[in-house]
Amino acid sequence: MTAQKSVVVLDYGSGNVHSAVKALEAAGADVELTADRQKAMDADGLLVPGVGAFAAVMAALNDVRGGELIERRLAGGRPVLGICVGMQVLFDRGVERGVDTEGLGEWPGVVDELDAPVLPHMGWNTVEAPEGSVLFDGIRDERFYFVHSYGARSWDLDVYGAFARPQVTWAEHGGRFVAAAENGPLSATQFHPEKSGEPGIRLLRNWIGSL
């Protein structure tokens, strides 16, 4: 019997962390909610949640040196999964209500308001996942639960050298936006797997299985 994979949910003051912990446990991980840097470095996987405004999430992450922690894990090829605003802050910048905030800069691009007649985008939506996606293996035709008004509306990362091409999943609300991305050890979803029922658990199980 293989040992359970260990996952740390980074506890930096973001809301809705307990449902993420429960969903990861349901997906088969050994989960700990903590801001302890050594535990976050040592875990097989690190999940970065995010609820609220881009600027507030960045300020809270900066308070616990979360960006440095994420960068150190990625430099060692250790997996990180961002969820909702935890995905948005991986981009260069976020612009919300005229406030331009520097993100973590792991991916080029700007997160801004969706071009849609109704905001927030709230509820279940289908996604366009690419062939070969690890996260969406077996669940490419499922629907996932979104709650957001902002997103990355383009994907600007070039492929360098021997690196595999990033797997980008799209969704539509008014226009297209990035619903998920898989880029080496760094993955993220704009939707909430922990609120997406069995398909969300399956996605988390797929991620845990890749650790």
Side-chain angles (χ1 to χ4, degrees), residues 124 135 139 142-144 191 193 196-204 206:
W124 298 84
L135 289 183
I139 48 172
E142 298 287 356
R143 297 161 75 86
F144 299 89
F191 56 84
S196 296
E198 183 55 32
I201 301 296
R202 283 280 304 277
L203 181 140
L204 292 173
N206 286 343

Side-chain angles (χ1 to χ4, degrees), residues 74-89:
L74 295 176
R78 300 183 66 74
V80 175
L81 176 66
I83 288 178
C84 197
V85 187
M87 170 178 176
Q88 294 177 5
V89 294

Side-chain angles (χ1 to χ4, degrees), residues 82-102:
I83 288 178
C84 197
V85 187
M87 170 178 176
Q88 294 177 5
V89 294
L90 297 171
F91 289 88
D92 283 334
R93 292 170 37 235
V95 181
E96 288 192 14
R97 295 184 172 84
V99 178
D100 192 327
T101 305
E102 185 177 349

Side-chain angles (χ1 to χ4, degrees), residues 9-17 20 47-54 56-58 60-61 81-89 96 147-148 189-195:
V9 176
L10 187 61
D11 186 12
Y12 65 96
S14 176
N16 204 45
V17 288
L47 186 141
V48 182
V51 175
F54 189 106
V57 169
M58 274 305 303
L61 270 175
L81 176 66
I83 288 178
C84 197
V85 187
M87 170 178 176
Q88 294 177 5
V89 294
E96 288 192 14
V147 185
H148 64 121
T189 67
Q190 176 60 67
F191 56 84
H192 288 274
E194 76 281 9
K195 295 181 180 179

Side-chain angles (χ1 to χ4, degrees), residues 15-201:
N16 204 45
V17 288
H18 294 291
S19 57
V21 169
K22 287 179 182 173
L24 285 163
E25 288 174 343
D30 177 18
V31 190
E32 184 170 3
L33 174 63
T34 181
D36 183 282
R37 298 179 67 76
Q38 197 56 53
K39 288 180 178 178
M41 279 301 299
D42 291 345
D44 294 316
L46 176 68
L47 186 141
V48 182
V51 175
F54 189 106
V57 169
M58 274 305 303
L61 270 175
N62 287 336
D63 282 347
V64 299
R65 290 162 48 213
E68 176 190 316
L69 180 62
I70 291 166
E71 200 165 89
R72 281 184 62 198
R73 279 191 64 95
L74 295 176
R78 300 183 66 74
V80 175
L81 176 66
I83 288 178
C84 197
V85 187
M87 170 178 176
Q88 294 177 5
V89 294
L90 297 171
F91 289 88
D92 283 334
R93 292 170 37 235
V95 181
E96 288 192 14
R97 295 184 172 84
V99 178
D100 192 327
T101 305
E102 185 177 349
L104 297 175
E106 296 295 341
W107 292 327
V110 179
V111 170
D112 57 9
E113 190 170 77
L114 300 179
D115 184 14
V118 176
L119 290 174
H121 171 219
M122 181 159 47
W124 298 84
N125 203 345
T126 55
V127 300
E128 303 165 33
E131 292 284 353
S133 163
V134 171
L135 289 183
F136 293 93
D137 182 33
I139 48 172
R140 294 177 68 236
D141 297 325
E142 298 287 356
R143 297 161 75 86
F144 299 89
Y145 192 81
F146 292 83
V147 185
H148 64 121
S149 297
Y150 300 85
R153 294 185 290 153
S154 65
W155 179 264
D156 306 316
L157 181 65
D158 290 325
V159 180
Y160 296 105
F163 290 104
R165 181 173 295 279
Q167 299 271 22
V168 183
T169 294
W170 298 86
E172 285 217 15
H173 182 69
R176 275 160 61 87
F177 64 89
V178 178
E182 299 160 68
N183 176 211
L186 181 58
S187 300
T189 67
Q190 176 60 67
F191 56 84
H192 288 274
E194 76 281 9
K195 295 181 180 179
S196 296
E198 183 55 32
I201 301 296

